[in-house]
Amino acid sequence: MSEPWWKTSVVYQVYPRSFADSNGDGVGDLPGLIDRLDHIYALGADVVWVSPFYPSPQADNGYDISDYRDVDPIFGSLADVDRLIAELHSRGMKLVIDIVVNHTSDEHPWFVESRSDTTNPKRDWYWWRPPRDGHTLGAPGGEPTDWIAFFGGPAWEPDVATGEYYLHLFDPKQPDLNWENPAVRAAVADMLRWWLARGVDGFRFDVINLVSKELRPDGTGVYANGPRIHEFVQELAASAWGDREVPIITVGECPAATVADAQLFTDPARGEFDMVFQFEHMGVDHGPGGRYDIRPVDLVALKRVLAHWQTGLADVGWNSLYWCNHDQPRPVSRYGSRNPAYRSASAKALATVLHLQRGTPFVYQGEELGMTNYPFTELAALDDVESRNWSREALERGMPFEQVLAAVNVQSRDHARTPMQWDASPHAGFTTGTPWLPVNPNHVTINAAAQVGDPDSVFAHYQRLIRLRHDEPIVVAGDFTMLLPEHPQVFAYLRRLPATADSAAGSDAPRELLVVANLGDDAVDVELPPEWEHSEIVLRSAPDEVASNPEAGMPWGRLLPWEARIHRL
Ligand code: TEU
């Protein structure tokens, strides 16, 4: 089977600010990451994706870049990146860097030039527009379109000096680049080639499907998946990495992308991306008001969405698989048990149903330990620009404080950003200084030191899931059939390797796997296909009583709370 390497890989995401601090300033850094690479290696991950480490005013924690070809001193230096690459490569691992090119920082020299004068050669590198007809700059309703920024407020910022507005789909300190201008696209491709020459193995493209947009009258504008999106991506791919002998890995982050969009982005014949991050399954606990309009997780809807992506990209394209990243709450708090006794079991069950799907799994730092959301008690403790802005606006609209706090305690992006929990010491082994965001008090029990080497740990379960993907071709290549789609508590599916599509797997390789998990606090009896009753159990996670006495009168089809099993035929 000559699958590209990224199809058999597992990616581990590092948010460098929160991973490991080597110099005691309270902020994680690249030397800290290098010191901890053996943790990721021990887990079995093949690839490390590092969130932005470039020079940045940090208005959005580095997703506002002021220089694409350097490292922010808070994170280290270019020499540290070179060392990171060498240390990863010496372990047989690879590095993916984060490319944020829908926007730059307003402090990037390109934007500084662009805003300096309406006739500056870089004026057209960004989206500048005069006030709407009959309005004065900055007056209510003067914005050129009705777009609202992802972080709240109008997506247009008035610039008094030149009398025009500029577009920012995110923070005002993140002006959008104008990809209609070929010089912008050439500059981006040039920068990617520079990083490839330095030795990186791939790119994660931030909100890349927003780069083609159409400014139109109110209610008709297009800010995502615009008319030239595939043209832009194909051009970038061809000019930046099309000539590479060893394929790199490319992941396009695509909010609002549908399966149909993803088929286009990830069809190898089209020369775009290897995979995209889709957001549909992130919406199953969002109400009509967005992510802070919280609804209980609807497991049936979650399964329907994931199955749709599995089948939608079965024949063409490829899936990314993720529960978490630096923008999402912790999966065990979001989809897992409310009962702390089941935290570990629910982390294992969630990992199982994700990792046995077809696609490339992404593990976000701390997920492999079952790290949880942080219990915020005051809004002032929040750092994330999105949750700060949302909570301020919600209070202004009259939402009671308790309700605002409850919402951020479910959804704030800061839950994923509290420091990595290495050990039980005062700052969890993350820093000797004062951490930039508080350490979760539960680090005294939930930490890497307590789990690495413990065969019952969440960490050990992730190790087994990753090893299974490396060892069993069926996990990579098998097809997917959802079972019990309407069951409100059980997540079950089959993976099958059709005999024809499998020459290299060998005749004794397993051709069918059954994955089944109880995602609830109560034991449940389900009707599973009878031919599986006496099949081999490859992996089983369950509360202690089953683990110690697996056959203790358990009827076939009974699943204990949060029990997950993988069977092999
Ligand atoms: O996120 C894009 C995005 O649309 C969401 O994940 C975002 O977090 C939004 O707030 C959802 O409510 C990417 C980055 O991952 C994120 O950290 C950046 O803030 C954003 O782009 C802007 O660069």
Side-chain angles (χ1 to χ4, degrees):
M1 205 165 21
S2 65
E3 299 281 22
W5 61 266
W6 43 260
K7 284 199 176 179
T8 55
S9 295
V10 174
V11 184
Y12 186 92
Q13 184 192 350
V14 168
Y15 196 64
R17 185 171 256 285
S18 305
F19 195 62
D21 173 21
S22 71
N23 61 1
D25 65 357
V27 177
D29 46 44
L30 296 179
L33 163 58
I34 293 167
D35 288 344
R36 294 289 191 175
L37 282 184
D38 283 332
H39 173 84
I40 308 172
Y41 181 76
L43 183 67
D46 310 271
V47 181
V48 175
W49 150 29
V50 186
S51 279
F53 46 67
Y54 319 94
S56 162
Q58 306 289 329
D60 185 19
N61 288 354
Y63 284 87
D64 49 320
I65 298 171
S66 53
D67 182 353
Y68 288 110
R69 302 185 191 211
D70 205 347
V71 173
D72 196 293
I74 62 169
F75 295 127
S77 65
L78 278 176
D80 293 322
V81 178
D82 294 340
R83 206 154 58 83
L84 175 63
I85 292 170
E87 290 285 343
L88 283 167
H89 288 176
S90 75
R91 288 169 175 82
M93 298 166 76
K94 298 187 188 278
L95 177 66
V96 164
I97 60 172
D98 210 319
I99 302 295
V100 188
V101 285
N102 173 68
H103 43 268
T104 67
S105 165
D106 66 335
E107 297 180 37
H108 193 292
W110 297 343
F111 188 75
V112 173
E113 275 190 55
S114 183
R115 85 183 308 168
S116 66
D117 196 309
T118 53
T119 62
N120 185 279
K122 290 221 164 54
R123 185 65 171 182
D124 185 49
W125 281 42
Y126 295 83
W127 295 87
W128 289 99
R129 291 291 183 279
R132 203 177 274 244
D133 281 350
H135 288 75
T136 46
L137 186 83
E143 294 83 15
T145 72
D146 59 349
W147 290 354
I148 299 297
F150 281 86
F151 296 157
W156 294 95
E157 185 73 4
D159 177 60
V160 177
T162 58
E164 292 186 326
Y165 291 88
Y166 68 84
L167 176 68
H168 60 87
L169 290 180
F170 292 88
D171 192 77
K173 285 189 67 64
Q174 294 168 298
D176 280 48
L177 281 165
N178 175 18
W179 277 58
E180 298 292 326
N181 185 329
V184 168
R185 307 200 300 270
V188 171
D190 203 42
M191 177 267 286
L192 298 182
R193 282 193 300 269
W194 186 85
W195 280 108
L196 287 171
R198 241 188 149 91
V200 307
D201 306 289
F203 304 116
R204 176 265 187 190
F205 289 95
D206 192 68
V207 291
I208 195 68
N209 65 329
L210 308 189
V211 300
S212 171
K213 39 214 159 211
E214 267 188 316
L215 276 48
R216 295 224 223 109
D218 288 0
T220 64
V222 178
Y223 66 85
N225 297 311
R228 300 184 69 187
I229 185 62
H230 295 289
E231 174 199 339
F232 289 164
V233 174
Q234 284 173 4
E235 179 192 279
L236 190 70
S239 58
W241 65 85
D243 57 349
R244 301 261 311 175
E245 267 166 39
V246 179
I248 63 166
I249 178 175
T250 57
V251 192
E253 189 204 25
C254 294
T258 61
V259 167
D261 296 323
Q263 286 168 343
L264 298 176
F265 280 124
T266 68
D267 176 353
R270 294 172 53 86
E272 298 188 27
F273 296 129
D274 298 325
M275 61 198 95
V276 299
F277 288 132
Q278 57 89 13
F279 281 67
E280 228 183 309
H281 67 306
M282 293 289 114
V284 296
D285 56 358
H286 299 177
R291 70 183 287 168
Y292 295 96
D293 179 15
I294 289 150
R295 298 286 183 274
V297 172
D298 176 347
L299 183 62
V300 173
L302 180 66
K303 292 194 295 181
R304 192 188 314 123
V305 168
L306 290 173
H308 180 53
W309 281 85
Q310 285 290 298
T311 51
L313 297 183
D315 298 328
V316 70
W318 189 250
N319 268 294
S320 72
L321 306 171
Y322 74 96
W323 283 138
C324 191
N325 57 46
H326 62 290
D327 295 331
Q328 298 296 335
R330 292 284 178 177
V332 70
S333 301
R334 187 177 193 177
Y335 311 106
S337 179
R338 299 282 153 268
N339 180 348
Y342 293 138
R343 180 194 61 84
S344 175
S346 51
K348 293 175 191 172
L350 290 166
T352 306
V353 296
L354 188 79
H355 277 247
L356 268 286
Q357 289 178 43
R358 186 160 185 266
T360 298
F362 287 72
V363 179
Y364 178 71
Q365 64 184 44
E367 182 187 333
E368 77 282 18
L369 308 175
M371 275 177 61
T372 67
N373 282 357
Y374 182 87
F376 287 102
T377 54
E378 45 169 6
L379 297 172
L382 294 169
D383 168 85
D384 165 31
V385 56
E386 181 188 79
S387 28
R388 289 178 77 103
N389 288 354
W390 177 81
S391 46
R392 195 188 55 243
E393 285 176 9
L395 289 171
E396 282 166 12
R397 281 197 313 271
M399 186 182 283
F401 168 80
E402 284 69 27
Q403 200 182 330
V404 174
L405 187 68
V408 298
N409 265 324
V410 175
Q411 279 289 350
S412 172
R413 305 196 298 179
D414 281 332
H415 294 298
R417 302 176 181 188
T418 63
M420 178 72 175
Q421 295 168 202
W422 294 106
D423 59 38
S425 70
H427 301 307
F430 164 69
T431 182
T432 54
T434 306
W436 72 278
L437 203 59
V439 171
N440 197 310
N442 66 20
H443 76 276
V444 293
T445 51
I446 304 174
N447 63 68
Q451 293 193 29
V452 177
D454 171 2
D456 293 329
S457 64
V458 177
F459 184 86
H461 193 78
Y462 270 85
Q463 281 179 313
R464 290 185 200 111
L465 292 171
I466 293 171
R467 200 174 311 134
L468 206 56
R469 174 169 298 271
H470 290 154
D471 291 351
E472 305 269 21
I474 186 172
V475 179
V476 175
D479 64 16
F480 176 97
T481 309
M482 185 64 94
L483 301 176
L484 306 168
E486 300 303 324
H487 199 292
Q489 190 178 332
V490 170
F491 199 134
Y493 55 88
L494 292 175
R495 300 293 310 277
R496 289 202 194 98
L497 206 52
T500 47
D502 161 46
S503 46
S507 53
D508 57 345
R511 302 197 168 269
E512 288 194 48
L513 295 175
L514 166 69
V515 180
V516 56
N518 176 2
L519 303 186
D521 282 358
D522 303 309
V524 63
D525 289 296
V526 284
E527 228 174 281
L528 294 169
E531 66 272 24
W532 288 88
E533 181 165 356
H534 300 292
S535 59
E536 179 194 357
I537 296 180
V538 188
L539 195 54
R540 170 182 228 157
S541 78
D544 295 345
E545 64 269 31
V546 206
S548 57
N549 186 7
E551 303 310 328
M554 283 263 292
W556 166 243
R558 171 157 309 165
L559 295 160
L560 290 169
W562 299 98
E563 177 178 359
R565 297 200 299 247
I566 304 169
H567 290 254
R568 169 157 59 193
L569 265 193

